[in-house]
Amino acid sequence: MRMRILCLMLCLATILPMGSWALAAEEPAAGSYFLVDGNVCEDPGLTVYNGITYVSLVNAVLALRPDAIIGWEGEYVVVTAEGLDLRARVGDQYIQANGRCLYVLNGVIDGGGRVLVPVRTIAQALGGWVSWNQESGVVEVYSGESPIASGDSYYDSDSLYWLSRIINAESGNQPLDGKLAVGTVIMNRVDSPRFPNTIYDVIFAPNQFTPASSGSIYREPNAESVVAAKLILEGVRVGGSSLYFVNPSISPNSWAQRNRTYVTTIGAHAFFS
């Protein structure tokens, strides 16, 4: 009972003024709370957006990591604790945790002054996991032993190096989804028996990617190209089964347009399977 009240007080402390903790004694209404290791954590920010359950980042963090320090750096909410460095910004399609980038399909959203993130994503960042109690309709979150593994240990450095550079060279001026689609083409080729089976060999295969022959592949990638490469290495895919892309305004009537199946257009690029 003490643990339950403590969790509830920690959560409410982030949204209610001092002197309002007496409200914590009341049982929260269904749909306004989630469970953390079996303890109730009230969250007025809990909502379902485009089929994904969102919770208040602050409430979830304090419930899972009461030792966390939460502050702001410009537009970013920043969370620090032992073994944890997390950053999130409203509007971004990802959160950053220990040098990793975790995809947020619908983006980090503003819930009336609260920063809302998908419950599964914030649980993953903190090393936990989520289940859904179909009978009660309550989201159940379970804490893990440690936060998410660091980017230095998770990403293969060679793969990140070359993937971020080809994304930057081909789509550095494109929106994030355009960068992800280019990265998806690279990984689809790695997985295809028709192409080499490493990122480096796919990029430098003869007569495939202009930046590899022009030398622009060696330019330092911009920050979002590195983010896109990390998201691709996390398993994010945009553009389906695409194996080719072309900028129709630069290369009209290209070989891919004439010979391959059109998939989608993202930003300036058309993608083909």
Side-chain angles (χ1 to χ4, degrees):
M1 184 64 179
R2 288 183 177 179
M3 290 181 63
R4 174 176 170 175
I5 292 175
L6 176 60
C7 176
L8 203 50
M9 290 171 65
L10 286 167
C11 293
L12 289 171
T14 68
I15 58 174
L16 297 175
M18 293 298 290
S20 298
W21 287 3
L23 296 174
E26 298 180 8
E27 190 70 20
S32 65
Y33 70 98
F34 54 93
L35 298 180
V36 176
D37 295 330
N39 300 307
V40 173
C41 187
E42 187 173 358
D43 187 1
L46 191 150
T47 188
V48 177
Y49 180 66
N50 287 346
I52 296 176
T53 300
Y54 277 71
V55 295
S56 164
L57 182 150
V58 171
N59 285 24
V61 166
L62 290 179
L64 287 161
R65 290 296 302 266
D67 62 319
I69 298 173
I70 303 173
W72 288 86
E73 291 182 7
E75 298 178 320
Y76 288 90
V77 58
V78 179
V79 178
T80 56
E82 184 177 357
L84 177 66
D85 182 2
L86 185 148
R87 299 168 63 86
R89 179 174 62 177
V90 169
D92 282 350
Q93 289 179 266
Y94 58 92
I95 66 173
Q96 302 174 63
N98 290 350
R100 303 268 294 273
C101 290
L102 306 180
Y103 193 55
V104 180
L105 177 62
N106 296 317
V108 178
I109 61 177
D110 180 353
R114 299 179 180 89
V115 176
L116 305 184
V117 294
V119 64
R120 292 188 185 277
T121 307
I122 192 64
Q124 179 188 1
L126 273 64
W129 67 96
V130 175
S131 69
W132 178 264
N133 189 317
Q134 293 186 346
E135 182 176 346
S136 66
V138 174
V139 175
E140 299 178 352
V141 184
Y142 298 92
S143 59
E145 295 183 359
S146 60
I148 194 169
S150 71
D152 288 341
S153 64
Y154 183 81
Y155 302 124
D156 176 75
S157 59
D158 191 63
S159 296
L160 181 59
Y161 181 93
W162 291 114
L163 189 58
S164 62
R165 277 157 176 76
I166 191 62
I167 288 173
N168 183 73
E170 292 283 12
S171 58
N173 63 345
Q174 297 300 299
L176 179 60
D177 278 350
K179 294 179 176 69
L180 292 172
V182 167
T184 296
V185 167
I186 302 299
M187 299 310 296
N188 285 348
R189 289 192 176 199
V190 169
D191 293 337
S192 170
R194 290 184 288 163
F195 297 93
N197 60 4
T198 70
I199 291 172
Y200 178 90
D201 289 336
V202 162
I203 293 171
F204 287 94
N207 305 315
Q208 295 300 306
F209 296 98
T210 301
S213 56
S214 70
S216 62
I217 185 72
Y218 299 104
R219 294 173 184 166
E220 188 72 19
N222 60 34
E224 192 170 73
S225 294
V226 176
V227 167
K230 289 182 176 182
L231 290 170
I232 290 294
L233 294 175
E234 294 283 350
V236 176
R237 298 292 183 267
V238 172
S241 59
S242 299
L243 291 167
Y244 306 87
F245 60 89
V246 63
N247 186 330
S249 65
I250 296 176
S251 302
N253 197 34
S254 67
W255 177 88
Q257 290 170 295
R258 290 182 282 107
N259 295 278
R260 308 304 300 184
T261 301
Y262 171 78
V263 176
T264 188
T265 295
I266 303 175
H269 289 128
F271 292 83
F272 303 85
S273 62

